[in-house]
Amino acid sequence: MLGVNQGVGKYVNVTGYPRIAYDKRDQPIYCRAKTARQSKYQVRMDCSGFYGGTSGSPWLLKYNGKTHTGYINGVIGGYQGGGNTHWRSFSPYFDNDVNVLRSAADKRA
C-alpha cells in the first residue's frame, strides 16, 4: 500500500542492503528514523550505514512487526542520488502525483 500526502515528522522503518565494498558484514541494515522536509518535493531521514547499494530501499510508515505490513511512504533516491553521505538519505515526497503514476502503470500492466 502507498502512503501519500502523509507529511513529515513521521517515523519510518527502512531496511537496505549496502554494497559489500562499503559494509564487509554483507548483511541488510535496519533503521527507524523520523522524516523531515528537505524541500517541497523531497524528504530526508538521518540514519547511519545507508551506503551505496541501498538506493530504492522502501520507507515504511506505520509498520506492524507482527503482520509485517505498512505503507510505502518513500524510497531512497531523489536529491543527491539518495544522499551523498551514509548518515542522511533522501526520498521524493509521495503526493497525489504518485497515485496518478501508479494508476497509469496499473492500466498498462
Side-chain angles (χ1 to χ4, degrees):
M1 294 183 279
L2 290 176
V4 297
N5 295 318
Q6 297 296 307
V8 294
K10 309 286 175 81
Y11 282 95
V12 292
N13 293 37
V14 184
T15 301
Y17 206 104
R19 268 193 239 132
I20 195 168
Y22 298 111
D23 188 339
K24 302 294 186 212
R25 295 174 296 171
D26 194 26
Q27 63 186 16
I29 59 168
Y30 165 82
C31 180
R32 180 169 168 81
K34 197 173 198 178
T35 61
R37 174 124 357 247
Q38 175 66 23
S39 66
K40 184 175 182 181
Y41 298 110
Q42 298 286 322
V43 294
R44 69 177 187 265
M45 64 110 182
D46 291 347
C47 192
S48 296
F50 283 82
Y51 294 97
T54 60
S55 294
S57 296
W59 297 17
L60 298 177
L61 181 68
K62 299 179 183 175
Y63 178 72
N64 182 317
K66 290 181 182 180
T67 62
H68 302 287
T69 59
Y71 296 89
I72 300 173
N73 192 46
V75 293
I76 293 180
Y79 182 69
Q80 295 181 334
N84 62 2
T85 66
H86 73 90
W87 54 268
R88 176 166 283 170
S89 298
F90 301 93
S91 170
Y93 180 71
F94 278 24
D95 61 10
N96 286 333
D97 290 342
V98 173
N99 274 333
V100 170
L101 178 63
R102 169 133 189 234
S103 179
D106 285 346
K107 288 177 184 174
R108 288 174 176 77

